[in-house]
Amino acid sequence: MTDSTRTERDSLGTRTVPGDAYWGIHTARALDNFAITGDSIGRYPALVAALATVKQAACRANRELGILDARRADAIESACAEITAGALHDQFPIDPIQGGAGTSTNMNANEVIANRALELLGHDRGTYTELDPLDHVNLGQSTNDVYPTAVRLAVVRHIRELVAALRRLADAFSAKADEFADVIKMGRTQLQDAVPMTLGQEFGTFAVMVREDCERLEEGIALLCESNLGGTAIGTGINGHPSYPALACAHLAELTGELVTPAANLIEATQDCGAFVQVSGILKRVAVKLSKTCNDLRLMSSGPTTGLGEINLPPVQAGSSIMPGKVNPVIPEIVNQVAFEAIGTDLTVTMAAEAGQLQLNAFEPIIAYGMLRTTTHLTAAADTLATKCVAGITPNRDHLEQGVRRSVGIVTALTPYIGYAASARIAKQALQTGQSVAEIAIELGLLTPEAIEEILGARRLAGLAGSAADTAPLRRIVRTTDGAEMPAHQHRFGTFR
């Protein structure tokens, strides 16, 4: 070893590596071979920390089984703990997309841990006769059980961060639901007026949708915490101690705080990427529903003078280089784009999982890269939507209330009293003449002004009526314009020609 370089050897020959690098020959070859994204695994702290934690759990198990001496085990554990805490992540320079089913990533981890452990023991980096990356750091392991386990734990960490962000978003929607609880508006189906609701109900629905996805993500975490650690090459456990799988998973659970358990069948678990497919599908669900919500926000805020104009999104930047004063819904738009990416990545994960052959899937690196990127972007999108958009939304109360009064859709509330045919007649006439539903019902002598006022009350229209009488209109007595009283369900005027 010189001041600037050192020479290392592998089964292919020798290679010069930088003297101050913690990585070694296997990492150097991977740097030559894989230059796809311009990214590095070191830029994904959750993955690097998970690799180090898996190695630390393996080290503890091997020490406990008496196959790794305490001196080396102490040094390896200390190095792993430092990396888990955030040290040396710049020593993981390999591209996340790589051939070899993650072998280069595992080798990178072995080399960095070994060279840091050698320093702790008082030796130069590369002095592998004292502590070897493969014989000691990788003892009882294979890329094929280390890498998938580390990826699963990294994705779990990202999902927990995503769930926290989604809960913050749900809270933001809930706060607006409370704030808008008394704001009446028209609901819509197929972009046409339907029946009234409150803006609070609409925003409360957004909160429910987000919280449902948090529950699904929590279920996905349980799937990812099943590990094939100890299966080594193909799940048969070759070169491993029979007690190692359970012991290593127990130590991994202790180190991570996650309920890591050994897979029931290590051969199946080594080749099956079904858990990634399922969790990726949940992430797609999150993306689809967030995007749909943002579509609604953009529609509701459209205009502001010639669109729906129901709500105002907070202005965050000028919207045009040519149209002065224009402000665009840029925050919902960026969430839409993150959702599009997540949906596309789900297809990538699906195809990569399908493409595995026989006892191993060689395409887990693209699964890892896609899922870590998706969760990172969705987390940022959820927080951005909550803080830069939802928190500042305001309603156009008068405009919304006027829309309800003008809408033909409220005729639906009259059907229990005057029947479908009469209500349809009123709706048709309202559209033709521009008269209100209430005006026409009174004009035709179908209901008194007092009855109309009660039936078309705002709380009743939005389904918020609280009394037994309010919630049972079919059993109520209706007084018609001719002075007759009868149960509402008997009050019918037949078919209008």
Side-chain angles (χ1 to χ4, degrees):
M1 176 176 171
T2 68
D3 290 339
S4 59
T5 64
R6 68 176 186 267
T7 300
E8 294 194 6
R9 177 181 296 276
D10 66 3
S11 60
L12 299 181
T14 60
R15 178 70 183 261
T16 298
V17 300
D20 61 353
Y22 285 86
W23 46 265
I25 187 170
H26 298 289
T27 302
R29 295 197 190 280
L31 287 172
D32 285 345
N33 293 330
F34 312 126
I36 303 299
T37 66
D39 209 347
S40 70
I41 58 176
R43 293 179 61 182
Y44 294 85
L47 178 57
V48 175
L51 286 163
T53 304
V54 170
K55 295 294 179 180
Q56 186 174 3
C59 177
R60 287 186 178 183
N62 287 328
R63 182 213 297 258
E64 193 169 331
L65 292 169
I67 56 179
L68 183 64
D69 64 275
R71 184 178 68 91
R72 290 189 176 98
D74 285 341
I76 291 171
E77 272 216 61
S78 295
C80 290
E82 289 179 4
I83 295 169
T84 300
L88 301 179
H89 285 212
D90 62 332
Q91 297 297 307
F92 290 79
I94 301 173
D95 197 297
I97 299 180
Q98 56 194 250
T103 297
S104 296
T105 296
N106 185 40
M107 292 291 201
N108 192 172
N110 290 331
E111 290 171 340
V112 174
I113 293 167
N115 280 306
R116 178 56 185 148
L118 284 168
E119 280 188 335
L120 294 173
L121 291 172
H123 301 289
D124 290 335
R125 297 172 206 171
T127 316
Y128 298 145
T129 53
E130 298 294 331
L131 190 152
D132 189 83
L134 298 178
D135 291 337
H136 301 116
V137 179
N138 199 62
L139 178 61
Q141 302 152 59
S142 164
T143 293
N144 302 343
D145 61 354
V146 168
Y147 183 76
T149 299
V151 169
R152 284 167 176 253
L153 291 174
V155 173
V156 165
R157 177 172 162 182
H158 275 222
I159 287 176
R160 292 211 179 279
E161 293 169 355
L162 173 57
V163 168
L166 290 173
R167 293 197 188 283
R168 291 190 290 270
L169 176 60
D171 289 344
F173 279 129
S174 289
K176 288 298 171 180
D178 292 340
E179 182 181 340
F180 303 154
D182 62 339
V183 182
I184 194 76
K185 63 160 287 182
M186 283 304 297
R188 293 182 180 83
T189 57
Q190 292 155 280
L191 294 179
Q192 307 300 305
D193 291 358
V195 295
M197 65 187 304
T198 68
L199 193 60
Q201 290 172 319
E202 194 159 26
F203 275 73
T205 298
F206 295 152
V208 170
M209 290 167 64
V210 173
R211 290 194 175 107
E212 284 181 345
D213 284 341
C214 291
E215 294 174 5
R216 302 292 81 75
L217 286 168
E218 294 281 3
E219 293 167 1
I221 286 174
L223 291 174
L224 294 173
C225 284
E226 184 180 272
S227 170
N228 71 329
L229 197 58
T232 64
I234 63 170
T236 60
I238 190 171
N239 292 351
H241 192 286
S243 299
Y244 173 86
L247 195 55
C249 284
H251 284 300
L252 195 53
E254 182 181 1
L255 287 166
T256 62
E258 301 290 349
L259 295 176
V260 182
T261 57
N265 186 306
L266 295 179
I267 296 176
E268 179 274 335
T270 301
Q271 63 186 268
D272 182 17
C273 289
F276 290 126
V277 174
Q278 186 159 342
V279 174
S280 179
I282 299 172
L283 293 173
K284 180 177 72 172
R285 169 184 164 141
V286 171
V288 167
K289 291 168 71 176
L290 282 180
S291 192
K292 188 272 180 189
T293 298
C294 286
N295 293 342
D296 289 351
L297 294 177
R298 291 191 294 114
L299 274 173
M300 294 160 66
S301 65
S302 61
T305 56
T306 59
L308 294 184
E310 296 184 345
I311 60 174
N312 307 301
L313 305 185
V316 295
Q317 65 181 55
S320 174
S321 62
I322 190 173
M323 293 173 281
K326 189 172 188 289
V327 177
N328 297 326
V330 295
I331 301 304
E333 287 172 353
I334 196 171
V335 177
N336 286 134
Q337 291 173 78
V338 169
F340 305 156
E341 179 194 40
I343 293 164
T345 299
D346 176 64
L347 179 58
T348 299
V349 171
T350 301
M351 295 305 297
E354 183 275 337
Q357 300 102 10
L358 305 177
Q359 280 68 59
L360 181 67
N361 189 303
F363 308 109
E364 288 191 22
I366 193 65
I367 293 176
Y369 183 57
M371 294 187 72
L372 292 175
R373 191 180 57 202
T374 290
T375 47
T376 298
H377 292 179
L378 283 174
T379 298
D383 275 332
T384 300
L385 183 60
T387 59
K388 294 188 178 296
C389 182
V390 177
I393 291 175
T394 58
N396 293 319
R397 291 173 179 264
D398 291 342
H399 175 66
L400 287 167
E401 185 173 353
Q402 291 171 12
V404 172
R405 295 306 171 193
R406 292 194 309 268
S407 174
V408 174
I410 62 173
V411 75
T412 302
L414 302 183
T415 56
Y417 303 93
I418 64 175
Y420 188 96
S423 297
R425 165 74 179 275
I426 291 173
K428 183 177 180 180
Q429 186 172 332
L431 289 171
Q432 289 174 342
T433 66
Q435 290 178 282
S436 71
V437 167
E439 289 171 342
I440 297 171
I442 295 170
E443 181 182 293
L444 294 175
L446 299 178
L447 292 166
T448 64
E450 294 78 15
I452 284 287
E453 183 177 355
E454 187 173 355
I455 294 169
L456 299 184
R459 287 182 59 79
R460 174 186 294 280
L461 289 176
L464 298 175
S467 70
D470 285 339
T471 56
L474 292 180
R475 294 192 297 274
R476 303 194 60 216
I477 299 297
V478 175
R479 182 184 299 279
T480 65
T481 52
D482 61 6
E485 290 185 353
M486 64 184 69
H489 68 281
Q490 295 178 5
H491 189 143
R492 294 290 183 268
F493 282 78
T495 301
F496 285 81
R497 295 182 182 275

